[in-house]
Amino acid sequence: MSRIILGIDIGSTKICAIIAEIKDDGVPHIVGTGMHKAEGVRKGSITNIEQASTAIRNAVNDAKMVSGEQIDKAIISLSGAYTKSIRESAIVNAPNNEIGLKEIHRVMQTAIYNAAIPEDHTLIHALPYEFRLDGQSYAEDPMGMSASRLEAFVHIVTAKKTALENLKRAVQEAGLEIENIVLSAYASSIAVLSNEEKELGVACLDMGGQTCDLMIYSGYSMRYCDFLSVGSHNITMDLTIALNTHPSIAEEIKIECGKLILSDEDKTKSIKVSIMTGENVAKPVTLEIIHAVIFARVEETLKLLAKSIEKSGLKDKIGAGITLTGGMANLEGMQECASSIFRKPVRISKPIAVDGLFDRLRGTDGATAVGLILYGAGMHTNYEMDCERRLLYKKNSITTDNTSIHNIELPKNAIEEQTLTSRITQIDDLSEIRTSSEDKHGNYLVRFYKWLSQLF
């Protein structure tokens, strides 16, 4: 049965809402979008709840009008401005010498407990990036494997409670309930990265209007995330000051003349710029001066991000290079400039093709919003725990002999998710998993019971 989901990207420059239908095969189909200028949000933080809630409400209402759907639950993005990250590990025993959901659930909970999350922070994501069996062998998916001990290495993302509460209140005052919260950089990476890049190791930089979010993947999961309160808006303000002009004019100059690599011909050109003197006065400014202002800010931003990658200790694990997304990545020459600073292969990434995707979301600035929909469709890290401490896993990874996982009946409080290639399940209470009457035939019941018994 298909279902409707709503994703809201709460950015510093715009609020973007997407409504999508998740079909029976797990493929999302976008049926409506709405976009509104961000108000009450600055550098990723809520600064005015009333203004922010109004902007959110307007964007959602536009999406509802286009789609014709009525929905009051939303998956929302969370800026890295709120967050901190911790790497932790945990070990649990497997009494029956076989790894099942119960052991995976327990090792994830233990890792969160070991992390000793500060009292003023709360969990957003717990993302396992490595499993080991009996302290030795690496297991990409430990489900069903034989071992007496399971060890997990987990990347934990937390958010400051007070800042998160302001975000929640802004969403709730817009008349919406929160279904889930997703780190914006994580959502963007879901929309732009391939499985091959994740396996090889890749850094994803979401360069927005007022912020830059960095995350590093290695082994199919996020290993590191960081935040920089600098974005393309800083370039606009630099031009405003350097050229003594109005910010709206500086924004137009950035869009029309913003280049990080100038040809010899461009160096001889100039444009007229209106200056703030109270009179209608314009002065000629060479493109070389404009280029120098823009390049200085971009170079500084990229060098700060390069230092963050060095600090992560994962630079040597970035086999697939670096991918850039977000509006700031559209500056002409950004790919070449970033490659020279990072000394790694760099590409500009747009969201993957999603059925029904509107043209205005096909660019780099639509990555986070599209990623929220894909997350809701199930394209998240296998065995991660979300902000409600629900274990999210891919059902096609749980098999016993020839028994189909689709014969497992879930408890009433389980929420079925869909993926593009598999089915996803969120379970709060593992003790309620049981067989349906359809399983009671032949020796399937015997095989299934052996698998089920190890959960308890």
Side-chain angles (χ1 to χ4, degrees):
M1 182 178 178
S2 64
R3 59 192 179 88
I4 302 297
I5 62 173
L6 167 64
I8 307 175
D9 173 23
I10 304 172
S12 299
T13 57
K14 72 177 188 304
I15 309 294
C16 181
I18 300 181
I19 297 176
E21 178 185 7
I22 310 300
K23 299 183 179 180
D24 293 340
D25 57 3
V27 177
H29 174 76
I30 294 176
V31 294
T33 65
M35 200 173 294
H36 197 274
K37 180 182 177 183
E39 296 175 339
V41 185
R42 182 175 175 81
K43 295 188 181 297
S45 300
I46 301 294
T47 57
N48 187 308
I49 292 176
E50 184 178 354
Q51 290 181 355
S53 64
T54 300
I56 293 169
R57 187 185 302 112
N58 290 337
V60 172
N61 287 342
D62 288 348
K64 288 180 178 179
M65 188 177 299
V66 173
S67 67
E69 300 285 352
Q70 293 300 317
I71 183 171
D72 58 3
K73 288 187 177 181
I75 302 170
I76 64 172
S77 68
L78 174 72
S79 169
Y82 298 114
T83 64
K84 63 182 293 185
S85 61
I86 308 165
R87 292 183 205 170
E88 194 51 81
S89 63
I91 302 174
V92 297
N93 292 325
N96 297 315
N97 290 329
E98 187 173 353
I99 306 301
L101 272 181
K102 190 174 182 180
E103 284 70 34
I104 295 173
H105 189 264
R106 191 150 46 91
V107 79
M108 292 297 295
Q109 288 183 319
T110 304
I112 294 170
Y113 176 79
N114 291 346
I117 297 173
E119 289 187 4
D120 61 341
H121 277 69
T122 187
L123 178 74
I124 299 299
H125 298 289
L127 304 162
Y129 57 85
E130 184 179 345
F131 289 105
R132 292 180 186 174
L133 304 176
D134 293 332
Q136 296 181 10
S137 55
Y138 164 78
E140 181 179 317
D141 185 348
M143 176 61 67
M145 299 187 74
S146 296
S148 61
R149 189 174 64 178
L150 173 65
E151 184 175 7
F153 296 83
V154 184
H155 178 77
I156 297 170
V157 180
T158 67
K160 199 170 183 63
K161 287 181 179 179
T162 52
L164 187 60
E165 187 60 34
N166 290 333
L167 177 65
K168 288 181 177 180
R169 195 171 300 171
V171 174
Q172 290 164 354
E173 289 193 8
L176 298 165
E177 295 180 33
I178 296 174
E179 180 180 340
N180 218 328
I181 301 172
V182 183
L183 184 67
S184 58
Y186 183 26
S188 297
S189 69
I190 292 172
V192 303
L193 298 180
S194 66
N195 286 333
E196 290 78 10
E197 288 174 319
K198 293 176 185 178
E199 182 181 11
L200 289 171
V202 62
C204 180
L205 303 180
D206 186 357
M207 309 179 76
Q210 296 184 6
T211 63
C212 287
D213 288 283
L214 162 67
M215 69 173 301
I216 298 177
Y217 264 90
S218 180
Y220 296 105
S221 182
M222 178 168 65
R223 297 278 299 271
Y224 177 81
C225 59
D226 200 4
F227 168 84
L228 186 64
S229 58
V230 176
S232 61
H233 180 70
N234 293 85
I235 297 175
T236 301
M237 298 313 297
D238 290 345
L239 289 170
T240 298
I241 295 169
L243 306 181
N244 190 27
T245 189
H246 195 275
S248 62
I249 296 175
E251 180 70 16
E252 291 178 7
I253 293 172
K254 180 185 71 177
I255 294 172
E256 295 176 6
C257 305
K259 294 182 180 181
L260 297 175
I261 300 176
L262 283 185
S263 64
D264 292 336
E265 183 181 355
D266 288 334
K267 292 177 182 179
T268 63
K269 293 181 179 179
S270 63
I271 60 171
K272 287 189 176 182
V273 178
S274 297
I275 60 176
M276 290 192 294
T277 61
E279 301 176 2
N280 189 16
V281 178
K283 66 176 182 180
V285 178
T286 64
L287 293 183
E288 194 168 13
I289 292 175
I290 295 171
H291 163 266
V293 174
I294 295 174
F295 185 85
R297 174 62 71 175
V298 171
E299 182 182 39
E300 179 190 37
T301 302
L302 292 175
K303 284 183 176 180
L304 289 172
L305 292 168
K307 285 183 179 179
S308 181
I309 293 175
E310 289 279 0
K311 185 179 69 175
S312 73
L314 297 169
K315 184 176 180 180
D316 294 337
K317 295 185 180 293
I318 305 176
I322 294 168
T323 183
L324 308 180
T325 191
M328 188 173 170
N330 291 325
L331 282 172
E332 188 176 331
M334 177 63 82
Q335 184 173 0
E336 294 82 358
C337 183
S339 182
S340 66
I341 290 174
F342 293 126
R343 300 190 180 279
K344 291 275 188 181
V346 175
R347 71 180 182 93
I348 309 297
S349 299
K350 297 179 180 180
I352 61 175
V354 177
D355 189 24
L357 186 61
F358 288 49
D359 287 341
R360 60 181 174 176
L361 293 174
R362 294 182 187 275
T364 57
D365 55 349
T368 302
V370 173
L372 293 174
I373 294 300
L374 295 175
Y375 183 92
M379 290 182 63
H380 46 63
T381 302
N382 203 12
Y383 306 121
E384 78 164 84
M385 296 192 80
D386 65 9
C387 63
E388 298 295 334
R389 304 203 177 199
R390 295 171 294 202
L391 183 70
L392 313 183
Y393 68 90
K394 300 182 180 180
K395 287 180 68 174
N396 70 344
S397 68
I398 307 172
T399 57
T400 303
D401 296 333
N402 295 323
T403 304
S404 171
I405 188 62
H406 299 294
N407 289 331
I408 290 184
E409 182 179 341
L410 297 175
K412 292 181 180 179
N413 64 341
I415 304 169
E416 288 194 336
E417 298 273 351
Q418 304 278 349
T419 66
L420 299 179
T421 57
S422 60
R423 292 177 65 83
I424 301 297
T425 304
Q426 300 177 2
I427 291 186
D428 299 315
D429 186 358
L430 298 175
S431 65
E432 294 186 32
I433 299 179
R434 59 189 181 277
T435 59
S436 68
S437 58
E438 296 176 357
D439 280 325
K440 298 178 180 179
H441 59 82
N443 60 359
Y444 284 174
L445 179 59
V446 176
R447 290 197 296 266
F448 186 80
Y449 179 78
K450 287 180 179 178
W451 174 81
L452 187 64
S453 63
Q454 59 86 34
L455 292 177
F456 310 101

